[in-house]
């Protein structure tokens, strides 16, 4: 069996397609399927294929193929934005998916090639460590894209509760190390008993973390109303439909509920259908519909020649009390990278400073709300996939708030995966998170990532939910990813140094 795997690894096309297939299987652990046992087994065999490669170049190619299959299937929702206007943009959909998955997979390819330099008896550990570091790198490079890592598959298991110490990325590192060890166990290089003992420790820690006492939600905790107008993306800015969706949001905001009026009304991303300050009568209607509760809403705004994707807070009629501008923008979705630089050499039409695309705000912040609502970190859509966009806010908030428009992501995997990311942010920081989404899934999430109230995908209306209590600052909130990164660097560096000394 071992010899057969080695022959497959070095078979030019068969090995490549095997790695692609195993990566695709590993993606089945992602939402909405959540087949995490399949994911672990597929990763074990996929890593085994890379480990058996006859050269570092071949290992790099197989690592790239494994990642391309994993990201290609996990990110199938990437095609959805191009299908909103299928006649104009539909032809770009497959190219966008292939180029993004294959491009990001280069991180894994380089990591696999580096790990192949380690002595064979320790390569099973070096490869997961290198791939985990590649995952951290892709979360930072070129503003980062940390969507869909291996650790996210554990969201509905006790192991997710290790995130307050090591984060979702750390869970991904553990997943890859466990998969590498499983491959060793399959071929008898470590005993199955040893692998099972490691698994038992992993699961046991997760169960212990899950059973820790949770601060109860006070009976007088603020009630938030999360409004979901359900505006499909292809109709959202259609002049014939704009007022329909606005009226839906107004009706949901003013509706009487069994528990009485909420303490805060939250509308999703870009739900006010005009630039901030350009339609004061519409803003007044929205404020009146939420009254006597204050209103948080997503809106687009203009500041001179630049445009911002923003959140505004109204505490009664008049000007907003505060405005938050999204700072972590989507490359090629909300702006074109280097557009401002290109404008200086005569290539215009891409520059943010000239109103093409959005301009980013100054950075993550904590905003204060009245009374028991306390302090909140506002996040717009994409920002919730980056833990550093929460850690970057100075101080400690009482909760997190995400306004998003997941209509761009379709109805299958994208919205569910985005929700999983938000749930992990709540777990990592020990903070509740309120999420208002245009087409869903709107939800109140407690500090353990559990959904306490929600409105399903494609539904229209609102959900009222009490704001759960926060927990004390977590280890991850204090230190972020750096302890795990340092450990991985130490492991990989030691193994590479040892291999170099042996070759002298």
């Amino acid at each position: 069996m071992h010899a057969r795997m080695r022959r497959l690894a070095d078979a030019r096309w068969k090995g490549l397609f095997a790695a692609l297939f195993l990566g695709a299987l590993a993606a089945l652990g992602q939402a909405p399927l959540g087949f995490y046992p399949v994911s672990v087994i597929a990763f074990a065999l996929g890593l085994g294929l890379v480990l058996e490669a006859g050269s570092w170049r071949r290992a790099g190619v197989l690592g790239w193929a494994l990642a391309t299959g994993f990201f290609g299937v996990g990110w199938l929702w990437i095609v959805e934005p191009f299908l909103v206007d299928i006649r104009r943009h539909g032809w770009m959909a497959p190219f966008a998916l292939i180029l993004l998955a294959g491009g990001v997979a280069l991180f894994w390819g380089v990591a696999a090639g580096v790990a192949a330099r380690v002595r064979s008896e320790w390569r099973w550990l070096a490869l997961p460590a290198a791939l985990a570091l590649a995952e951290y790198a892709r979360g930072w490079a070129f503003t980062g894209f940390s969507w869909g890592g291996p650790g996210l598959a554990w969201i509905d298991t006790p192991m997710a509760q290790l995130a307050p110490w090591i984060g979702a990325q750390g869970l991904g590192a553990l997943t890859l190390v466990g998969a590498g060890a499983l491959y060793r166990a399959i071929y008898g290089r470590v005993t199955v008993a040893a692998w099972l003992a490691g698994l038992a420790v992993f699961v046991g820690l997760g169960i212990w973390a899950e059973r820790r006492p949770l601060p109860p939600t006070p009976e007088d905790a603020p009630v938030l109303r999360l409004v979901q107008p359900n505006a499909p993306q292809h109709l959202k800015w259609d002049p014939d439909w704009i007022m329909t969706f606005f009226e839906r949001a107004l009706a949901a905001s003013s509706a009487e509920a069994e528990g009485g009026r909420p303490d805060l009304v939250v509308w999703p991303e870009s739900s006010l259908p005009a630039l901030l300050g350009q339609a004061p009568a519409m803003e007044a209607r929205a404020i009146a519909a939420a009254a006597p509760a204050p209103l948080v809403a997503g809106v687009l705004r203009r500041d001179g020649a630049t445009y911002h994707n923003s959140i505004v807070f109204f505490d009664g009629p008049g000007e907003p009390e505060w405005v938050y501008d999204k700072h972590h923008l989507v490359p090629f979705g909300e702006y074109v990278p280097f557009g401002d630089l290109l404008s200086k050499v005569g290539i215009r039409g891409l520059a943010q400073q000239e109103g093409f695309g959005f301009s980013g705000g100054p950075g993550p912040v904590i905003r204060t709300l009245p009374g028991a609502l306390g302090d909140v970190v506002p996040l717009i859509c994409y920002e919730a996939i980056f833990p550093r966009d929460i850690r970057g806010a100075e101080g400690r908030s009482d909760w997190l708030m995400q306004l998003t428009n997941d209509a761009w992501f379709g109805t299958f995997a994208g919205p569910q995966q985005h929700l999983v990311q938000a749930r992990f942010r709540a777990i990592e920081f020990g903070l509740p998170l309120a999420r208002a989404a245009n087409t869903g899934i709107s939800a109140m999430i407690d500090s353990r990532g559990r959904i306490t109230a929600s409105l399903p995908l494609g539904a229209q209306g609102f959900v009222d939910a009490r704001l759960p209590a926060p927990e004390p600052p977590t280890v991850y909130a204090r230190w972020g990813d750096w302890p795990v990164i340092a450990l991985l660097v130490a492991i990989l560096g030691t193994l590479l140094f040892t291999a170099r000394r042996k070759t002298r």
Side-chain angles (χ1 to χ4, degrees):
M1 186 74 174
H2 171 55
R4 187 178 301 172
M5 181 68 86
R6 177 163 292 179
R7 287 196 298 271
L8 179 60
D10 289 331
R12 185 175 181 182
W13 293 109
K14 286 184 180 179
L16 190 69
F17 286 119
L20 282 166
F21 175 72
L22 289 169
L25 277 183
L28 300 183
Q30 300 291 309
L33 299 178
F35 297 154
Y36 58 88
V38 174
S39 186
V40 172
I41 294 170
F43 270 131
L45 295 175
L47 295 185
L49 203 62
V50 178
L51 290 170
E52 301 299 344
S55 69
W56 68 268
R57 290 183 179 86
R58 184 61 179 172
V61 169
L62 293 177
W64 171 84
L66 179 69
T68 299
F70 177 62
F71 296 130
V73 171
W75 297 346
L76 282 173
W77 58 268
I78 287 288
V79 305
E80 294 288 348
F82 299 94
L83 303 182
V84 171
D85 188 349
I86 194 168
R87 290 184 179 181
R88 294 178 60 189
H89 305 127
W91 65 273
M92 293 188 283
F95 297 101
L97 177 62
I98 293 169
L99 290 174
L100 181 62
V104 170
L106 291 172
F107 286 98
W108 283 41
V110 171
V114 170
R117 302 282 188 166
V118 171
R119 295 167 57 191
S120 59
E121 62 265 33
W122 286 106
R123 207 169 292 161
W124 69 271
L125 179 58
L127 178 59
L131 295 181
L133 287 171
E135 282 292 276
Y136 284 109
R138 80 170 173 96
W140 282 86
F142 311 111
T143 77
F145 185 63
S146 55
W147 192 296
L152 299 178
W154 301 108
I155 184 60
D156 289 316
T157 73
M159 279 70 81
Q161 301 307 319
L162 298 179
W165 288 272
I166 60 175
Q169 293 276 52
L171 279 172
L174 277 178
T175 302
L176 293 169
V177 170
L182 177 58
Y183 178 74
R184 296 273 295 186
I186 290 172
Y187 287 105
R189 297 179 186 177
V190 296
T191 65
V192 173
W195 186 84
L196 290 174
L199 178 63
V201 170
F202 180 41
V203 174
L205 287 172
I207 292 173
W208 167 80
E210 185 180 48
R211 294 182 176 179
R212 290 175 297 131
L214 180 68
T217 299
E219 293 184 1
D220 60 348
V223 174
L224 274 61
R225 175 165 294 182
L226 308 176
V227 172
Q228 187 168 301
N230 193 32
Q233 193 58 41
H234 69 287
L235 297 176
K236 181 174 171 59
W237 300 110
D238 186 324
D240 294 333
W241 282 90
I242 284 177
M243 290 307 298
T244 298
F245 302 133
F246 182 59
E247 294 291 346
R248 287 181 184 179
L250 292 176
S253 301
S254 61
E256 293 295 332
E258 188 174 323
R261 295 293 298 162
D263 298 291
L264 179 69
V265 175
V266 184
W267 287 19
E269 180 185 11
S270 63
S271 50
L272 285 173
L275 292 174
L276 182 63
Q278 296 297 303
M282 296 182 76
E283 293 172 11
R285 291 185 66 192
I287 294 168
L295 172 69
V296 166
V299 66
L300 307 182
R301 76 179 190 93
R302 181 177 178 178
D303 182 11
T306 62
Y307 291 85
H308 297 273
N309 187 356
S310 305
I311 295 175
V312 290
F313 171 65
F314 294 102
D315 192 8
E319 296 294 317
E321 295 292 319
W322 52 255
V323 176
Y324 166 74
D325 295 325
K326 184 178 183 181
H327 73 278
H328 204 143
L329 303 175
V330 182
F332 301 104
E334 293 179 305
Y335 77 104
V336 176
F338 309 114
D340 289 343
L341 180 63
L342 291 172
S343 71
K344 295 179 181 179
V345 294
I347 302 175
R348 303 189 179 277
L350 303 176
Q352 295 167 276
Q353 64 189 3
E354 297 179 14
F356 296 96
F358 291 104
S359 293
V365 296
I366 292 177
R367 295 298 192 193
T368 298
L369 297 168
L373 290 165
D375 296 331
V376 64
V377 173
L379 304 164
I380 300 178
C381 191
Y382 183 67
E383 292 177 323
I385 75 171
F386 298 100
R388 69 177 185 267
D389 286 348
I390 299 171
R391 291 193 68 244
E394 188 175 347
R396 168 82 170 171
S397 68
D398 300 302
W399 56 292
L400 310 172
M401 175 176 60
Q402 182 195 17
L403 275 59
T404 185
N405 177 24
D406 287 2
W408 285 110
F409 303 157
T411 58
F412 178 60
Q416 288 86 346
Q417 291 177 10
H418 203 196
L419 176 64
V420 168
Q421 297 266 6
R423 292 173 64 188
F424 263 113
R425 300 298 85 79
I427 300 170
E428 288 167 340
F429 291 90
L431 295 174
L433 185 148
R435 185 175 198 267
N438 171 30
T439 55
I441 304 165
S442 298
M444 180 65 75
I445 302 167
D446 72 9
S447 60
R448 299 289 168 86
R450 299 177 302 189
I451 297 173
T452 62
S454 67
L455 205 58
L457 191 65
Q460 170 192 334
F462 67 91
V463 60
D464 286 348
R466 290 201 180 276
L467 184 64
E471 299 189 61
T474 64
V475 171
Y476 187 83
R478 292 189 178 98
W479 296 98
D481 294 310
W482 295 112
V484 178
I485 291 174
L487 177 61
L488 292 170
V489 168
I491 291 171
L492 185 60
T494 299
L495 294 176
L496 287 170
F497 179 74
T498 303
R500 186 179 180 184
R501 292 191 62 186
K502 290 289 182 181
T503 58
R504 287 181 176 178

